[in-house]
Amino acid sequence: MAEGATTAPAFPAECRLVLRHDDFIMRNHRVHDVPVLPGVAFLDVVCRIAVAAGLDPAGVELRHVLFTEAVATTGGYDREIVITAGPGPGRLHLVGRSRWLDGERPFTPWRENFQAQLVTADRPEPGPPPVVPDGGVRRERSMEDMYAYTRARDISHGVPMRCTGVLRLGRAELLADLALSHPDPAEARFHLHPAKLDAATIVAYGQTDAALREPFIPLFIESFRAPRPLPGRFTVHVPRPERLAPSGELFHSDLVLYDERGRFAAELVGLACKRIREPDLVRRLLAEPGRH
């Protein structure tokens, strides 16, 4: 893959937000009973920062996206999140950090949660999605079945963080026609609604049952772009089955999202997800509030 343009896009040097424990995402997305922000929600945040800064989202791309530590909350404590941008050769280096808040008072050091390279987009958009998967539809799965898999592995989604629809599997690709299970009146404030991004990562492992045996979380994305918002119904195209690493600890997938008119809306290339074999690794995310 090309390394991008020689001039880095303009971007705010710092952006601050507060993630409340009672935010609908945290109330409706739990891993081993811990409220956890889906890592891909950072992608929407970066897109919205870019738009607010006057950038055309079609002109920028994230590369080498790394989710270094999940962001969790617990009763009585929120999280302050800061995304900073620093210069690099032909790119900007973005870092997302967070710390615990007691009311409005921070009481822990910053911890890194996210990093990526922001570059000028230099690749053509993919064509429209296929009408049917390659070789016709050999199998169908409902999105409810996919959420049943995640619930059985101790990842639970409340209705506001769920999508509904059908996955159609061909010989070597998948098409999913989805919509939010519960229409969100505030969806327009998102570039890509977090429930849709989260659902897309679940769809990405819909072709290989081996990828469903244990819970997992996104770890890395080789490249991400989202030239336009994704309102209403949407389509997820997974052009090939997920690839499991020899270790069995990671799987890799690519996926493209289209809006209800069939227009290209977003692409995740080289999405790598890591198995969660030890629940305590997630529960330890809540250890710090008890230390102040």
Short mmCIF file of all heavy atoms in Angstrom, two decimals, residues 40 196-205 216 218 251 255 268 271 273:
data_model
loop_
_atom_site.label_atom_id
_atom_site.label_comp_id
_atom_site.label_asym_id
_atom_site.label_seq_id
_atom_site.Cartn_x
_atom_site.Cartn_y
_atom_site.Cartn_z
N VAL A 40 -13.58 0.84 17.85
CA VAL A 40 -13.89 1.47 16.58
C VAL A 40 -14.66 2.78 16.74
O VAL A 40 -14.77 3.56 15.79
CB VAL A 40 -14.65 0.50 15.64
CG1 VAL A 40 -13.72 -0.59 15.13
CG2 VAL A 40 -15.88 -0.09 16.31
N LYS A 196 -23.36 0.85 14.46
CA LYS A 196 -23.13 0.35 13.10
C LYS A 196 -21.69 -0.10 12.92
O LYS A 196 -21.43 -1.16 12.32
CB LYS A 196 -23.50 1.43 12.08
CG LYS A 196 -24.99 1.77 12.05
CD LYS A 196 -25.31 2.83 11.02
CE LYS A 196 -26.82 3.08 10.94
NZ LYS A 196 -27.18 4.10 9.93
N LEU A 197 -20.74 0.69 13.43
CA LEU A 197 -19.34 0.28 13.35
C LEU A 197 -19.12 -1.03 14.11
O LEU A 197 -18.44 -1.94 13.62
CB LEU A 197 -18.45 1.37 13.93
CG LEU A 197 -18.11 2.54 13.01
CD1 LEU A 197 -17.42 3.65 13.80
CD2 LEU A 197 -17.22 2.09 11.86
N ASP A 198 -19.68 -1.13 15.31
CA ASP A 198 -19.52 -2.34 16.10
C ASP A 198 -20.15 -3.54 15.40
O ASP A 198 -19.56 -4.62 15.34
CB ASP A 198 -20.15 -2.13 17.48
CG ASP A 198 -19.93 -3.31 18.40
OD1 ASP A 198 -18.78 -3.55 18.80
OD2 ASP A 198 -20.92 -4.00 18.72
N ALA A 199 -21.35 -3.35 14.83
CA ALA A 199 -22.00 -4.44 14.11
C ALA A 199 -21.17 -4.89 12.92
O ALA A 199 -21.08 -6.09 12.62
CB ALA A 199 -23.39 -4.01 13.65
N ALA A 200 -20.54 -3.93 12.24
CA ALA A 200 -19.72 -4.29 11.07
C ALA A 200 -18.55 -5.18 11.47
O ALA A 200 -18.19 -6.11 10.75
CB ALA A 200 -19.22 -3.02 10.38
N THR A 201 -17.94 -4.92 12.65
CA THR A 201 -16.84 -5.78 13.08
C THR A 201 -17.33 -7.17 13.44
O THR A 201 -16.59 -8.15 13.30
CB THR A 201 -16.08 -5.16 14.28
OG1 THR A 201 -16.94 -5.09 15.42
CG2 THR A 201 -15.57 -3.78 13.94
N ILE A 202 -18.56 -7.28 13.91
CA ILE A 202 -19.13 -8.60 14.20
C ILE A 202 -19.41 -9.34 12.89
O ILE A 202 -19.10 -10.53 12.74
CB ILE A 202 -20.40 -8.47 15.05
CG1 ILE A 202 -20.06 -7.89 16.43
CG2 ILE A 202 -21.11 -9.82 15.20
CD1 ILE A 202 -21.27 -7.55 17.27
N VAL A 203 -19.97 -8.64 11.92
CA VAL A 203 -20.23 -9.23 10.60
C VAL A 203 -18.94 -9.72 9.97
O VAL A 203 -18.92 -10.75 9.27
CB VAL A 203 -20.92 -8.19 9.69
CG1 VAL A 203 -20.90 -8.62 8.23
CG2 VAL A 203 -22.37 -7.96 10.15
N ALA A 204 -17.83 -9.03 10.24
CA ALA A 204 -16.56 -9.37 9.60
C ALA A 204 -16.10 -10.78 9.90
O ALA A 204 -15.27 -11.33 9.17
CB ALA A 204 -15.48 -8.37 10.03
N TYR A 205 -16.60 -11.40 10.98
CA TYR A 205 -16.20 -12.79 11.24
C TYR A 205 -17.38 -13.73 11.05
O TYR A 205 -17.44 -14.80 11.63
CB TYR A 205 -15.56 -12.93 12.63
CG TYR A 205 -16.45 -12.66 13.83
CD1 TYR A 205 -17.25 -13.67 14.37
CD2 TYR A 205 -16.46 -11.42 14.44
CE1 TYR A 205 -18.03 -13.45 15.48
CE2 TYR A 205 -17.25 -11.19 15.56
CZ TYR A 205 -18.03 -12.21 16.07
OH TYR A 205 -18.81 -11.96 17.18
N PHE A 216 -13.63 -11.52 21.32
CA PHE A 216 -12.46 -10.85 20.78
C PHE A 216 -12.73 -9.36 20.75
O PHE A 216 -13.87 -8.91 20.85
CB PHE A 216 -12.13 -11.36 19.37
CG PHE A 216 -13.18 -10.98 18.37
CD1 PHE A 216 -13.14 -9.77 17.70
CD2 PHE A 216 -14.24 -11.84 18.10
CE1 PHE A 216 -14.12 -9.40 16.80
CE2 PHE A 216 -15.22 -11.48 17.19
CZ PHE A 216 -15.16 -10.27 16.54
N PRO A 218 -11.24 -5.64 18.58
CA PRO A 218 -10.35 -5.11 17.55
C PRO A 218 -9.03 -4.64 18.15
O PRO A 218 -9.00 -4.03 19.23
CB PRO A 218 -11.15 -3.94 16.97
CG PRO A 218 -12.58 -4.30 17.22
CD PRO A 218 -12.56 -4.98 18.56
N PHE A 251 -7.47 -12.83 14.12
CA PHE A 251 -7.96 -13.04 12.77
C PHE A 251 -7.98 -11.70 12.07
O PHE A 251 -8.06 -10.64 12.69
CB PHE A 251 -9.34 -13.73 12.77
CG PHE A 251 -10.51 -12.80 12.94
CD1 PHE A 251 -11.04 -12.12 11.86
CD2 PHE A 251 -11.09 -12.61 14.18
CE1 PHE A 251 -12.12 -11.28 12.00
CE2 PHE A 251 -12.17 -11.76 14.34
CZ PHE A 251 -12.68 -11.09 13.25
N LEU A 255 -13.45 -5.09 5.17
CA LEU A 255 -14.88 -4.86 4.97
C LEU A 255 -15.14 -3.46 4.43
O LEU A 255 -14.36 -2.54 4.68
CB LEU A 255 -15.67 -5.09 6.26
CG LEU A 255 -15.29 -4.26 7.48
CD1 LEU A 255 -16.53 -3.97 8.33
CD2 LEU A 255 -14.28 -5.04 8.33
N LEU A 268 -12.64 -0.60 6.01
CA LEU A 268 -11.63 -1.04 6.97
C LEU A 268 -10.82 -2.14 6.30
O LEU A 268 -11.36 -3.20 5.96
CB LEU A 268 -12.26 -1.58 8.26
CG LEU A 268 -12.92 -0.57 9.21
CD1 LEU A 268 -14.29 -0.14 8.69
CD2 LEU A 268 -13.08 -1.18 10.60
N LEU A 271 -8.39 -5.32 9.22
CA LEU A 271 -8.90 -5.32 10.59
C LEU A 271 -8.41 -6.59 11.29
O LEU A 271 -8.71 -7.70 10.86
CB LEU A 271 -10.43 -5.29 10.57
CG LEU A 271 -11.14 -5.57 11.90
CD1 LEU A 271 -10.85 -4.46 12.91
CD2 LEU A 271 -12.64 -5.75 11.69
N CYS A 273 -8.43 -8.65 14.89
CA CYS A 273 -9.10 -8.77 16.18
C CYS A 273 -8.39 -9.83 17.02
O CYS A 273 -7.96 -10.86 16.50
CB CYS A 273 -10.57 -9.14 15.99
SG CYS A 273 -11.53 -7.83 15.21
#
